[in-house]
Amino acid sequence: MAPTLAQAYRRRWWMACTAMVENLFFSAVLFGWGSLLIMLQKEGFYSHFCPEKNGTNSSEGQHSVEHQWPTCESQEEMLNLGFTIGSFVLSATTLPLGILMDRFGPRPLRLVGSSSFAASCALMALASQNPLVLSPLIFLALSLNGFGGICLTFTSLTLPNIFGNLQSTIMSLMIGSYASSAITFPGIKLIYDAGVSFVVIMFTWSALACLIFINCALNWPSEGFPAPEEANYMKKIKVNGLALDHKVTGDRPHVHVTTTSQQLSQKTPDVQEEKEFFSLSQEVEGPVAATPEKSVPFRKSLFSPLFLWSLLTMGMTQLRVIFYMASMNKMLEFLITGGQKLETEKEEYDMKEQVGFYSSVFGAMQLLCLLTCPLIGYIMDWRIKECVDAPSEARIPEVARDGIAKQGTRIRYGKIQKLTNAIYAFLLTNTLLVVFGITCLIHSLHLQDSFHCPSPLAAFD
């Protein structure tokens, strides 16, 4: 049975921590495509596109190279097509997912997403048993992988709503863990190179995805998490730890505040709790008959220049990132060989070993996203606590403003401060993107493989 919003609020830290771990290992894992591509080639997916070589074993010097399946460019192109489809599903389903989440909440989407991810891993494991016949299943597996990953990511972005002033910081950690999931396949490749079967790895990963399903079924509520602007949900939840079962205003919140007031008057409350309760009482008892603020029509927001420009820049950034990841192995091969054709199998083997190594380094570098994204979250949350919501609130006595609106001090308004913080974050993000673009033009293997981590910040802005 699904928990209530009040129960979910009490479990918010557990849900946030598990969501970050789930994003790290189960969301945008396709960003580590370079390592998965090597494993799929070794497992023989679409190897029938490649001509058979004369020998299966060759030894030269101290090297012994064993080729179980042939590899070629046609095979790589077909597998890259599967990545293209999977990454398209990962990005293109956000709009319908948003509509469905507004209607049904995050719980059913998260359940479907974890099931899809588990199915994708199971399909890859089954297809590897007979790749000559079952290779086409990789397209379905990668599509389910992308769909399941974006479901987990998208639903986790609603969790920060119940963290109040830490909303942007928690949001940044969610996006940081999402972007850092590129390390998952390089990590799995290390296990694969250690001798663990591809089938065992994928079935184990599928079983772990089932734990996400169980965690969601036990802890995620059936209704969505309301935004902080919705009837000051956070304050109503936090007063004396007594949570509401409903997220909107009405008679019950008024009764709840009255009851809580009587309970607080019977004991000595915390000072901060008194101030939050005073503010809550003013909001619920006073402006009942006040005229609600008119909301901006959705169509007007959708076609606003600011939104369209943000959509364009985000689309271009995402396209560049996906193109970089899809062609990274080819770029590494070119940088290693200098564009020259390899003469012997030993040279080809050494080249593939270097490509695999630098693909793993690339995945490991994505963990830097967990360091940079909280910085953006801090910038987005900067001085939000010191702000007032409306000009009229600037004249509220100091006791009601929690010491913020002191006489003679400059008043900060929440919307203006949020816009200012967003501008700072946007400038930092685009500076990093420009640096990344410059490094891509430099003919240096070590430099290009070490500077790819600004992309998740663009997603956060």
Side-chain angles (χ1 to χ4, degrees), residues 244-266:
L244 295 178
D245 290 332
H246 202 272
K247 67 181 181 181
V248 294
T249 56
D251 294 333
R252 183 167 184 180
H254 179 75
V255 174
H256 174 77
V257 170
T258 305
T259 304
T260 307
S261 176
Q262 294 173 356
Q263 293 178 355
L264 291 175
S265 64
Q266 296 174 3

Side-chain angles (χ1 to χ4, degrees), residues 1 73 128 218 228 286 289 370 385:
M1 184 176 181
E73 291 188 3
S128 66
L218 294 178
L370 287 175
K385 293 182 179 180

Side-chain angles (χ1 to χ4, degrees), residues 62-317:
Q62 296 180 350
H63 295 273
S64 178
V65 185
E66 182 177 351
H67 297 279
Q68 295 182 352
W69 299 97
T71 59
C72 59
E73 291 188 3
S74 299
Q75 175 198 33
E76 188 171 342
E77 290 174 358
M78 183 61 68
L79 292 174
N80 278 333
L81 178 60
F83 168 74
T84 302
I85 296 174
S87 58
F88 172 79
V89 174
L90 181 69
S91 303
T93 53
T94 52
L95 178 59
L97 284 179
I99 297 174
L100 291 174
M101 192 157 62
D102 285 339
R103 182 175 180 85
F104 301 107
R107 177 185 169 89
L109 293 182
R110 198 168 185 85
L111 294 174
V112 172
S114 57
S115 302
S116 299
F117 194 96
S120 72
C121 296
L123 282 175
M124 281 191 274
L126 293 174
S128 66
Q129 295 297 294
N130 190 0
L132 295 178
V133 177
L134 301 178
S135 288
L137 285 179
I138 194 63
F139 290 96
L140 178 60
L142 293 176
S143 299
L144 290 175
N145 193 287
F147 176 75
I150 196 59
C151 283
L152 297 178
T153 302
F154 211 65
T155 53
S156 67
L157 298 183
T158 62
L159 268 177
N161 288 346
I162 57 178
F163 282 89
N165 292 324
L166 294 175
Q167 181 181 7
S168 295
T169 302
I170 300 298
M171 176 78 77
S172 68
L173 291 173
M174 294 296 173
I175 296 180
S177 59
Y178 155 79
S180 298
S181 60
I183 196 178
T184 304
F185 276 130
I188 288 178
K189 183 178 178 296
L190 293 178
I191 300 174
Y192 178 78
D193 291 339
V196 182
S197 170
F198 185 79
V199 176
V200 173
I201 293 174
M202 287 300 158
F203 274 128
T204 302
W205 206 7
S206 179
L208 292 176
C210 295
L211 295 180
I212 303 178
F213 186 95
I214 297 173
N215 182 43
C216 177
L218 294 178
N219 295 299
W220 283 68
S222 56
E223 51 185 319
F225 301 106
E229 293 80 10
E230 294 186 38
N232 292 305
Y233 170 79
M234 285 299 302
K235 291 183 179 179
K236 294 177 182 178
I237 287 288
K238 287 171 64 178
V239 174
N240 198 31
L242 298 176
L244 295 178
D245 290 332
H246 202 272
K247 67 181 181 181
V248 294
T249 56
D251 294 333
R252 183 167 184 180
H254 179 75
V255 174
H256 174 77
V257 170
T258 305
T259 304
T260 307
S261 176
Q262 294 173 356
Q263 293 178 355
L264 291 175
S265 64
Q266 296 174 3
K267 65 177 184 178
T268 303
D270 183 79
V271 177
Q272 179 66 22
E273 198 171 41
E274 276 191 66
K275 292 174 180 178
E276 288 187 359
F277 174 73
F278 181 85
S279 176
L280 174 61
S281 302
Q282 293 287 336
E283 292 167 0
V284 175
E285 295 180 1
V288 174
T291 303
E293 184 180 354
K294 292 183 179 180
S295 59
V296 180
F298 174 73
R299 182 178 299 179
K300 185 177 181 180
S301 300
L302 186 63
F303 293 100
S304 63
L306 180 62
F307 176 78
L308 293 176
W309 178 250
S310 300
L311 186 65
L312 177 63
T313 55
M314 183 58 204
M316 293 175 61
T317 302

Side-chain angles (χ1 to χ4, degrees), residues 190-447:
L190 293 178
I191 300 174
Y192 178 78
D193 291 339
V196 182
S197 170
F198 185 79
V199 176
V200 173
I201 293 174
M202 287 300 158
F203 274 128
T204 302
W205 206 7
S206 179
L208 292 176
C210 295
L211 295 180
I212 303 178
F213 186 95
I214 297 173
N215 182 43
C216 177
L218 294 178
N219 295 299
W220 283 68
S222 56
E223 51 185 319
F225 301 106
E229 293 80 10
E230 294 186 38
N232 292 305
Y233 170 79
M234 285 299 302
K235 291 183 179 179
K236 294 177 182 178
I237 287 288
K238 287 171 64 178
V239 174
N240 198 31
L242 298 176
L244 295 178
D245 290 332
H246 202 272
K247 67 181 181 181
V248 294
T249 56
D251 294 333
R252 183 167 184 180
H254 179 75
V255 174
H256 174 77
V257 170
T258 305
T259 304
T260 307
S261 176
Q262 294 173 356
Q263 293 178 355
L264 291 175
S265 64
Q266 296 174 3
K267 65 177 184 178
T268 303
D270 183 79
V271 177
Q272 179 66 22
E273 198 171 41
E274 276 191 66
K275 292 174 180 178
E276 288 187 359
F277 174 73
F278 181 85
S279 176
L280 174 61
S281 302
Q282 293 287 336
E283 292 167 0
V284 175
E285 295 180 1
V288 174
T291 303
E293 184 180 354
K294 292 183 179 180
S295 59
V296 180
F298 174 73
R299 182 178 299 179
K300 185 177 181 180
S301 300
L302 186 63
F303 293 100
S304 63
L306 180 62
F307 176 78
L308 293 176
W309 178 250
S310 300
L311 186 65
L312 177 63
T313 55
M314 183 58 204
M316 293 175 61
T317 302
Q318 189 74 2
L319 178 62
R320 183 171 66 168
V321 168
I322 292 176
F323 173 79
Y324 183 89
M325 292 175 178
S327 58
M328 184 180 65
N329 283 14
K330 280 295 182 184
M331 290 166 40
L332 291 175
E333 290 179 8
F334 179 81
L335 289 173
I336 292 171
T337 62
Q340 299 178 357
K341 187 176 181 180
L342 301 177
E343 300 293 338
T344 65
E345 282 194 20
K346 176 183 175 297
E347 292 178 345
E348 184 177 352
Y349 174 79
D350 291 340
M351 181 269 294
K352 289 183 178 179
E353 286 295 313
Q354 290 189 61
V355 170
F357 169 75
Y358 282 110
S359 297
S360 300
V361 171
F362 165 79
M365 294 299 295
Q366 300 309 299
L367 286 177
L368 292 176
C369 300
L370 287 175
L371 301 178
T372 53
C373 278
L375 172 62
I376 297 294
Y378 176 79
I379 294 175
M380 296 289 288
D381 284 334
W382 187 57
R383 290 192 174 182
I384 293 297
K385 293 182 179 180
E386 304 174 11
C387 299
V388 297
D389 295 331
S392 60
E393 297 182 12
R395 298 184 178 87
I396 296 178
E398 179 179 347
V399 64
R401 291 296 312 134
D402 193 14
I404 296 174
K406 295 182 180 179
Q407 295 293 335
T409 60
R410 181 182 176 183
I411 302 300
R412 295 179 179 272
Y413 300 115
K415 292 183 178 180
I416 297 178
Q417 187 64 42
K418 289 180 181 179
L419 181 60
T420 303
N421 294 348
I423 293 174
Y424 292 152
F426 186 78
L427 290 176
L428 176 59
T429 296
N430 283 273
T431 301
L432 294 175
L433 287 172
V434 170
V435 172
F436 164 63
I438 293 174
T439 57
C440 287
L441 301 176
I442 301 175
H443 192 82
S444 172
L445 180 62
H446 299 84
L447 184 66

